[in-house]
Amino acid sequence: MSATTETIEQVENLAGEGYKHGFVTDIEMDMAPKGLSEDVVRFISAKKNEPEWMLEWRLKAYRLWLTQEMPSWQKLDLPEINYQDSYYYAAPKSQADGPQSLDDVDPELLKTYEKLGIPLREQEFLAGVTNIAVDAVFDSVSVATTFKKKLNEAGVIFCPISEAIQEHPELVQKYLGTVVPYTDNFFATLNCAVFTDGSFVYIPPGVRCPMELSTYFRINALNTGQFERTLIIADEGSYVSYLEGCTAPMRDENQLHAAVVELVALGDAEIKYSTVQNWYPGDENGKGGIFNFVTKRGICKGDRSKISWTQVETGSAATWKYPSCILQGEDSVGEFYSIAITNNYQQADTGTKMIHRGKGSKSRIISKGISAGKAHNTYRGLVRVTPKADKARNYTQCDSLLIGDRCGAHTFPYIESLNRTARVEHEATTSKISEDQLFYCQSRGIGDEEAVALIVNGFCREVLQQLPMEFAVEAQKLVGISLEGSVG
Amino acid sequence: MLEIKNLHASVDGKEILKGVDLTVPAGEIHAIMGPNGSGKSTLSYVLAGRDGYEVTEGSVTFKGQDLLALSPDERAATGVFLAFQYPVEIPGVTGATFLRTAVNAVRRARAEDEWDGIGFVKAARAKLKELGMTDDVLKRAVNVGFSGGEKKRNEMLQMAMLEPSLAVLDETDSGLDIDALKIVAEGVNALRSPERSMLVITHYQRLLDYIVPDVVHVLADGRIIKTGDKNLAHRLEAEGYADVIGEAA
């Protein structure tokens, strides 16, 4: 047996054990009745004490969803999903009235986040060097948002979206559903009907958000879907960097996560959105894990605005996700940096869409797919240049790395250019970790698993560099851990 | 330090080493010379533990341990270092990351404290200075876009950082012009010490003008057929392998 084969096997054998966030928090929950119906939609809306317009919007979406079918073009082999078999609302009882301050947060929840390495007590932040405000979403509700006061002083609004619907209805009504309409697609429509919480961010004109904002999503309850909704608005000339992290307990059942994220960047504004997705990927036989079917889209509405997506996707049994940019403003910029790692029986179909509408708009796509075990990893991307987008430019680079000989890498780039002055470039490579590289590292004393992690981190470097410092370190380790069960 | 007894090794079922006997005491530099296809690189790979090089008979004892029972990384931790004939590129991994990972892996295996970032940079800078190199090599991706000379000097830096007790230099002179060769040889000489043995594998005598060996062995058809002092290398250069091999046979 060759050294590479052995390494791959060792790495594969470790799968499951490698997932460090698989624990369950034992906490009393307030649940909606099982299954999906108009009553459940009304139940959620009532729980959130929502205004009439919100409920109407949800019901419109729900009725449309009943007529829709799940998309089938993705390269994912999925079982039939029974949407009546899930709970659509689950909230810790202790949080029934919503947290007034961090002192009100259930200690059990604080412990959970501590265990995950997400400190929610502000003094823990102050003691360290971190400068990140956190919104913690536990199943269907936000349980805590830190640093609200400091952000308020800068005029920044950072709160659970359910709170924004109460406190800032004019902003929510103006922007919600404008980037991802309720008619958008099967999963987005479902989300419109049953979304429970998520984060809301508004950065006023000319403000550079004084700290990184982040939301940490945790699925805990059994048979519960998480449907969060995030809306970020960067007003003229403002800047914000937002981070998102996700984990879930190890369970044998698949759990559904269907989020919607909408970003709006007005003139000269910039939004940097980073994700480290580490949902439970299922065990080494492909049992369990999260179905991560997410719609993320941003619009560069104003001239010279910029939206940059960076994602590190290591978890989930199946991922269906295409963070996209509509480049409407002149000279607007869209970026997509992605690392997708699949191992064992994980499947990922992920990529981006760059829709060039504004003159001189530019986009850049760097995608790194790593596949190990029996996993399948697909890049699917669309670059569309509309007739008015004179001198639009795109550069795409798609690199795939294979570990072992039972996994697959697939690339589906779609390019539609309707403007003669546009320039669109696409480069793609597929490679394997070579025996030479492994032996070279080993002969320097580096064990085979660490060697694989090192080589894969090198392969991903261009993307890792895009992450904010605190996240980059975390992501590098995560690459290592998910490759313990795969390669790196 | 190193004791090789009746070593037989095959690659893809074909026997390449056919009974090598070799003893290298501590602090000595031994040269192994031989024509192409004599088994020189195979010997270096067998010592480093490369996969696919199957030992069918014989033993290798290093510092009293059975070297063949160890994995390549364990051998490195015990103090074996192989300077590659063709150093491998690792895109996206900086020299600093690579070296620090390697040094700390070895230190961990030896139950020594790992180096933090500052400790590492200090140590690396000191070694770079000794070798007359700039810290450019720490910032660039390992061997990517390096010239032949840069690659070999990078091997010397790794060797200096890992402080092996046995260094195997596999055709370190290949692909180098005379200036690069001198620089590399200086690097090797800087690392000579009474605790460190070296096995210098080469096809040509010219490297041995700069790295003067204590003992010269001639490897032909998988066996050491002749052993002598540095003058043996000169004779090979003057008379060619054919004569010396013919004489030994």
Side-chain angles (χ1 to χ4, degrees), chain A residues 1-4 6 434-437 439-448 450 454-455 457-459 461, chain B residues 48 50-51 72-73 76 81-82 84 88-94 97-98 101-102 105-106 108 143 155 158:
Chain A
M1 194 187 333
S2 78
T4 321
E6 266 177 60
S434 75
E435 272 271 321
D436 282 346
Q437 286 175 329
F439 176 61
Y440 191 64
C441 293
Q442 288 171 315
S443 74
R444 297 318 181 233
I446 304 170
D448 41 17
E450 204 179 359
L454 187 72
I455 295 165
N457 267 306
F459 174 76
R461 186 155 177 248
Chain B
R50 177 158 204 161
D51 214 58
D73 48 306
F81 180 88
L82 170 63
F84 280 53
V88 180
E89 295 184 3
I90 308 180
V93 178
T94 62
T97 301
F98 182 76
T101 307
V106 166
R108 207 159 50 228
N143 293 322
E155 295 291 285
Q158 291 175 19

Side-chain angles (χ1 to χ4, degrees), chain B residues 55-112:
Chain B
V55 174
T56 50
E57 212 184 322
S59 66
V60 179
T61 312
F62 175 63
K63 293 202 264 191
Q65 299 187 63
D66 175 8
L67 190 68
L68 300 177
L70 305 178
S71 66
D73 48 306
E74 289 166 344
R75 294 184 199 197
T78 326
V80 176
F81 180 88
L82 170 63
F84 280 53
Q85 183 177 4
Y86 303 109
V88 180
E89 295 184 3
I90 308 180
V93 178
T94 62
T97 301
F98 182 76
L99 266 181
R100 194 176 153 197
T101 307
V103 170
N104 279 339
V106 166
R107 291 181 74 89
R108 207 159 50 228
R110 292 174 184 167
E112 295 167 357

